[in-house]
Amino acid sequence: MPLIGYARVSTEDQTPLPQSEALQTAGCAEIFEEHASGGNRARPVLARLLERVQSGDTLVVVRIDRLARSLSHLLEVIERLEAKGAFFRSIQDPIDTGSPQGKFTLQVLGAAAEFERALIRERTKAGLASARAKGRVGGNPGLRTKDPDALRKVRLARQDGYMERLNETAQDWVPHVRRLRPDMAWEDVLRIINGPLPHDRHWTQSRLLRAVKAYVRDGFLPDEVLGRAGRRETDDRLPTIVAAIKGSGPEITLQAICDRLESMRERTPRGRTSWQPSSVKMLLERAKKLGLL
């Protein structure tokens, strides 16, 4: 199985060379290097790697903390890999989702994370019940009196919390929006974003638009992505979609594009639900003639 390495260091002063050498020794023919904080989930190189990974590939890191700093992020990345039929391996940790032992370790980690969340919920409930029994009313006094400063702080805190949640999923949608808008209609961009994602992580168009507007407002995306999509001929729609999928991962195979189109429930030019590599090849050639590739 193809091994793809990921090496990360936090600052420009550090070098990923030792990690890259260890990954090469482990058999990785292709290695992605990134300078970014481990607490930042919206890492562009990691996002590009996850787009690049195909069925049968294995993502390899030297240590788990090079990929994720939290258990929830680690499980999220592994879930994305499993959705693509890919695997994860850490050289210095007992995790290899391609082996029964590694899968068991992952299940234990997932159970531990859920147990920790349950304990936090129970402690919170018990604390609130104890406070109520002693006659203390929870909540912010400023909110109860509708103090303007308190309301403003809560509004800003909610906005910060929303942006933090968006940052955790940015690698799913930001690269597509940046590359495809406004040349492609929102409904088609949405289908391409949802294609590789598990059903429980699918975006709705209204939720995506709200996220994009928030990123534009804070300068993470250019204003142009919110522009009106240009009108395209009906015959150009499928070549545009196929070109967009190809653009997200230049090494993607014809069969992988077929699988993506079927997961998007996109019909072939003849109205069929099952795609063949020959049909994709024809559309890619048309996309090149249209200047889309």
Side-chain angles (χ1 to χ4, degrees), residues 152-171:
R152 181 178 58 83
K153 289 178 181 178
V154 169
R155 184 170 62 254
L156 291 175
R158 286 177 177 172
Q159 181 177 320
D160 289 344
Y162 175 63
M163 293 303 294
E164 184 176 342
R165 292 193 298 275
L166 282 186
N167 291 339
E168 293 176 355
T169 62
Q171 59 192 10

Side-chain angles (χ1 to χ4, degrees), residues 258-270:
C258 290
D259 296 340
R260 183 76 65 84
L261 290 167
E262 289 177 7
S263 71
M264 293 166 58
R265 301 185 183 277
E266 195 68 54
R267 291 186 175 271
T268 69
R270 297 187 177 183

Side-chain angles (χ1 to χ4, degrees), residues 14-196:
Q14 298 173 312
T15 173
L17 182 59
Q19 295 179 52
S20 296
E21 290 176 345
L23 293 169
Q24 287 177 348
T25 302
C28 296
E30 186 176 4
I31 297 173
F32 290 74
E33 297 181 350
E34 183 158 44
H35 290 78
S37 168
N40 179 14
R41 298 193 182 191
R43 292 173 240 154
V45 175
L46 179 59
R48 191 162 65 248
L49 186 156
L50 293 175
E51 282 291 327
R52 156 75 177 80
V53 166
Q54 302 175 24
S55 178
D57 290 347
T58 298
L59 169 59
V60 184
V61 295
V62 174
R63 298 190 311 274
I64 289 177
D65 66 348
R66 297 301 87 198
L67 177 66
R69 285 289 181 85
S70 68
L71 181 56
S72 63
H73 188 205
L74 174 64
L75 295 175
E76 177 186 319
V77 171
I78 293 176
E79 182 180 310
R80 288 194 65 183
L81 293 172
E82 289 182 338
K84 286 190 166 189
F87 306 96
F88 171 72
R89 180 189 305 170
S90 174
I91 296 175
Q92 297 183 11
D93 302 291
I95 294 184
D96 180 354
T97 61
S99 70
Q101 295 87 348
K103 289 182 179 179
F104 175 73
T105 301
L106 190 62
Q107 290 171 351
V108 171
L109 288 174
E114 180 56 36
F115 180 63
E116 181 182 14
R117 288 192 292 269
L119 286 178
I120 293 173
R121 287 195 296 268
E122 289 302 317
R123 286 196 293 265
T124 301
K125 290 179 181 178
L128 291 173
S130 175
R132 283 194 295 269
K134 294 176 182 178
R136 294 200 297 270
V137 179
N140 188 322
L143 293 182
R144 291 199 298 271
T145 60
K146 296 185 177 180
D147 178 69
D149 287 339
L151 292 173
R152 181 178 58 83
K153 289 178 181 178
V154 169
R155 184 170 62 254
L156 291 175
R158 286 177 177 172
Q159 181 177 320
D160 289 344
Y162 175 63
M163 293 303 294
E164 184 176 342
R165 292 193 298 275
L166 282 186
N167 291 339
E168 293 176 355
T169 62
Q171 59 192 10
D172 292 342
W173 56 277
V174 170
H176 295 294
V177 171
R178 191 186 300 276
R179 192 180 70 256
L180 302 177
R181 288 291 305 167
D183 296 328
M184 183 177 286
W186 282 112
E187 53 265 31
D188 290 329
V189 174
L190 184 69
R191 290 154 71 85
I192 291 172
I193 290 172
N194 285 336

Side-chain angles (χ1 to χ4, degrees), residues 23 94 136 162 182 185 200 204 221 231 249 283:
L23 293 169
R136 294 200 297 270
Y162 175 63
D200 60 351
T204 63
L221 284 171
R231 186 180 297 276
L283 290 172

